[in-house]
Amino acid sequence: MQQEINSNDEPRVGAEEEEIKTGEVPEQLEIENVAQEVKNNAKGILESVLFASGEPVSLSQLHDVLKEGFSQKETRELLNQMKEEYLHSNRGFELVE
């Protein structure tokens, strides 16, 4: 077991275990941040398709755009999240089915 000296010149036992535990948390946060970034990018892609289209776009058409990495259920969930975000952000548009 590793010992360190703290500012009071007292040995700190278990510092090695503490380093291992704290090292795991940032890695998990990084994974969560990457997952959120992927979702945000997917929402941006869906939003772009919706704005660029001059007519309604079906769920299957939107899913075709995100096909890699997203199931049709996940695409619907992203659209529902976007719908809620638009509803609560006082924007001049909304998503409808």
Side-chain angles (χ1 to χ4, degrees), residues 27-42:
E27 183 177 313
Q28 181 63 29
L29 289 175
E30 183 176 323
I31 291 168
E32 290 171 9
N33 288 341
V34 169
Q36 186 59 48
E37 186 175 331
V38 168
K39 285 182 182 179
N40 288 341
N41 288 341

Side-chain angles (χ1 to χ4, degrees), residues 6-21:
N6 65 19
S7 60
N8 297 329
D9 293 331
E10 297 173 7
R12 214 174 88 195
V13 179
E16 186 175 286
E17 290 86 1
E18 188 175 311
E19 289 173 14
I20 292 170
K21 289 178 186 174

